[in-house]
């Protein structure tokens, strides 16, 4: 924690000392991927606009935007979750912007109706199962994980995790709060262990025999299958990927996205970067390097994603989950989902 604060402080000093130059933008990012930086460098080479990047935990970045207020040097907030962009927007930390690129290539469920943020990539939250112990025919939906045959077999991370919070908000939207709570209690009752670790750790626990089915974002499987570590590749090879809820609303899909900050001192440059990240080239890079789904249908999926198969996504407008985000936390707490 202290180290994070120190990093923020130092980075803040560096940003504050260079905000007078014209051709630059300041990005606060909760994403920690090399491909992002590769793309920012390309953007700078093409446009001459310098990118100053602060990477930190998304909730810390949102707090920092609140503290900085109108004096914030930040132009863009990048997150790995729609819920955080919705929250930043509702706190007044983002402003609407107009981009023909966003309106042209980003399907409406994945962008803000008020135009304060847009999705950049898609991430499907799927069921990953151990092929020796589960047949795909036994799987159907998130809801079915609460059924008795999964007692002691379900692996999922903590309710503190943003991906789970937004998934729960989507379940509240689909089923209502009472049914969502019944579901959460059922999953807690079926957990193989109390929630721990990240999505990748759930897959490793499957390989270790701790459980049989896990809730995981697909790109973690891509990262494991392409890992430089042979053991990780071996672990991932034992797993199958199942897209839940194909018979009804579709698999829950979250976004990584970008919002324009309310105080953005370099607004035009910031919108140019948003457009660049939505270009076919950047979309291809993001999906090839990070195994996320392109947000635009103009870019074909990389081979690995094609192999996983096509699926119907839940096309609920992510912005409409706003009233359910807080309820999701109450449900997790009441259900005892740590
Ligand atoms: Fe992630």
């Amino acid at each position: 924690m202290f180290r994070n604060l120190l990093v923020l402080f130092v980075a803040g000093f560096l940003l504050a000392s260079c905000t007078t130059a014209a051709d630059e933008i300041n990005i606060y990012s909760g994403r920690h991927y090399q491909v992002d930086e590769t793309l920012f460098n390309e953007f700078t080479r093409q446009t001459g606009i310098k990118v100053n990047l602060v990477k930190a935990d998304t909730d810390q970045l949102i707090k920092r935007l609140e503290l900085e207020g109108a004096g914030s040097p930040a132009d863009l907030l990048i997150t790995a979750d729609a819920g955080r962009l919705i929250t930043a927007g509702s706190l007044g930390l983002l402003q609407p912007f107009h981009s023909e690129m966003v309106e042209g290539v980003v399907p409406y469920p994945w962008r803000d109706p008020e135009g304060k943020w847009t999705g950049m990539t898609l991430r499907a939250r799927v069921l990953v199962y151990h092929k020796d112990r589960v047949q795909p025919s036994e799987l159907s939906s998130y809801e079915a994980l609460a059924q008795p045959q999964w007692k002691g077999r379900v692996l999922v991370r903590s309710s503190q995790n943003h991906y789970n919070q937004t998934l729960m908000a989507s379940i509240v939207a689909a089923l209502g709060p009472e049914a969502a709570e019944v579901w959460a209690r059922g999953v807690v009752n079926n957990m193989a262990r109390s929630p721990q670790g990240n999505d990748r750790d759930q897959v490793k626990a499957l390989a270790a025999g701790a459980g049989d089915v896990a809730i995981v974002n697909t790109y973690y499987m891509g990262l494991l299958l392409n890992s430089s570590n042979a053991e990780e590749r071996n672990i991932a090879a034992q797993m199958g990927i199942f897209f839940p809820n194909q018979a009804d609303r579709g698999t829950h899909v979250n976004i990584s996205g970008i919002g324009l900050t309310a105080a953005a001192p370099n607004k035009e440059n910031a919108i140019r970067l948003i457009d660049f990240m939505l270009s076919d080239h950047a979309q291809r890079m993001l999906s090839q390097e990070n195994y996320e789904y392109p947000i635009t249908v103009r870019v074909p999926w990389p081979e690995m994603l094609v192999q996983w198969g096509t699926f119907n996504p839940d096309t609920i407008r992510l912005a409409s989950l706003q009233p359910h985000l807080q309820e999701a936390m109450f449900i997790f707490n009441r259900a005892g989902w740590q």
Side-chain angles (χ1 to χ4, degrees):
M1 176 55 124
F2 174 73
R3 196 167 162 272
N4 284 341
L5 287 174
L6 190 66
V7 168
L8 277 178
F9 178 78
V10 172
F13 178 77
L14 291 174
L15 278 183
S17 63
C18 59
T19 45
T20 47
D23 276 340
E24 64 177 10
I25 45 173
N26 302 313
I27 300 178
Y28 287 2
S29 179
R31 277 170 59 100
H32 304 271
Y33 303 119
Q34 184 53 49
V35 62
D36 291 17
E37 288 175 53
T38 304
L39 287 167
F40 297 157
N41 289 335
E42 276 187 36
F43 174 77
T44 299
R45 279 201 301 279
Q46 281 182 23
T47 63
I49 300 167
K50 183 168 180 281
V51 175
N52 304 308
L53 178 64
V54 175
K55 291 193 292 186
D57 170 81
T58 305
D59 286 330
Q60 285 177 15
L61 292 172
I62 289 174
K63 277 207 186 75
R64 177 165 168 177
L65 286 172
E66 281 189 282
L67 287 170
E68 290 171 341
S72 175
D75 297 295
L76 294 169
L77 174 67
I78 298 184
T79 76
D81 165 55
R84 293 321 102 182
L85 285 170
I86 293 168
T87 301
S90 65
L91 289 169
L93 302 174
L94 303 178
Q95 64 172 309
F97 63 94
H98 175 72
S99 155
E100 277 170 24
M101 180 70 122
V102 170
E103 282 153 35
V105 307
V106 180
Y108 75 89
W110 324 130
R111 54 184 159 92
D112 179 26
E114 293 174 24
K116 294 176 181 173
W117 52 263
T118 178
M120 180 173 83
T121 62
L122 298 179
R123 31 258 309 277
R125 196 138 182 81
V126 300
L127 307 183
V128 171
Y129 59 93
H130 198 291
K131 288 191 275 195
D132 289 350
R133 299 191 293 278
V134 176
Q135 294 299 315
S137 58
E138 298 173 78
L139 297 167
S140 58
S141 62
Y142 303 106
E143 288 85 331
L145 293 181
Q147 290 169 1
Q149 73 262 33
W150 298 107
K151 177 82 182 166
R153 302 171 72 190
V154 177
L155 289 157
V156 59
R157 69 199 288 182
S158 149
S159 63
Q160 297 303 307
N161 170 252
H162 296 156
Y163 307 148
N164 280 346
Q165 292 167 10
T166 303
L167 169 65
M168 178 61 91
S170 80
I171 290 174
V172 173
L175 308 179
E178 289 84 14
E181 185 170 336
V182 170
W183 175 73
R185 286 182 193 283
V187 171
V188 169
N189 193 43
N190 285 346
M191 283 181 185
R193 59 178 188 182
S194 60
Q196 54 194 273
N198 56 28
D199 278 13
R200 213 183 300 234
D201 294 322
Q202 311 313 313
V203 179
K204 290 181 178 175
L206 286 175
D212 297 337
V213 60
I215 301 177
V216 176
N217 285 353
T218 43
Y219 56 88
Y220 288 102
M221 284 298 291
L223 293 168
L224 289 169
L225 285 163
N226 291 280
S227 171
S228 57
N229 177 326
E231 179 58 19
E232 288 193 339
R233 292 197 301 274
N234 175 44
I235 284 171
Q238 300 166 46
M239 308 304 161
I241 291 175
F242 184 88
F243 293 94
N245 296 76
Q246 292 304 286
D248 45 65
R249 66 183 179 277
T251 297
H252 170 65
V253 164
N254 203 333
I255 55 164
S256 247
I258 316 183
L260 181 67
T261 63
N266 307 289
K267 190 171 160 179
E268 272 174 42
N269 291 348
I271 296 170
R272 281 180 78 178
L273 184 103
I274 292 172
D275 290 352
F276 175 81
M277 297 304 276
L278 295 171
S279 68
D280 290 2
H281 167 70
Q283 289 289 304
R284 202 173 290 121
M285 287 270 291
L286 288 163
S287 60
Q288 279 174 356
E289 301 293 316
N290 214 32
Y291 315 105
E292 296 173 272
Y293 291 94
I295 202 152
T296 161
V297 292
R298 301 198 313 197
V299 172
W301 293 358
E303 183 54 29
M304 172 170 293
L305 276 58
V306 171
Q307 279 174 26
W308 291 340
T310 55
F311 64 97
N312 293 319
D314 182 351
T315 53
I316 187 169
R317 192 155 210 180
L318 289 176
S320 75
L321 298 182
Q322 177 175 1
H324 307 309
L325 286 166
Q326 180 108 61
E327 183 70 33
M329 294 308 298
F330 295 148
I331 289 172
F332 277 131
N333 288 337
R334 287 198 297 266
W337 187 320
Q338 288 176 27

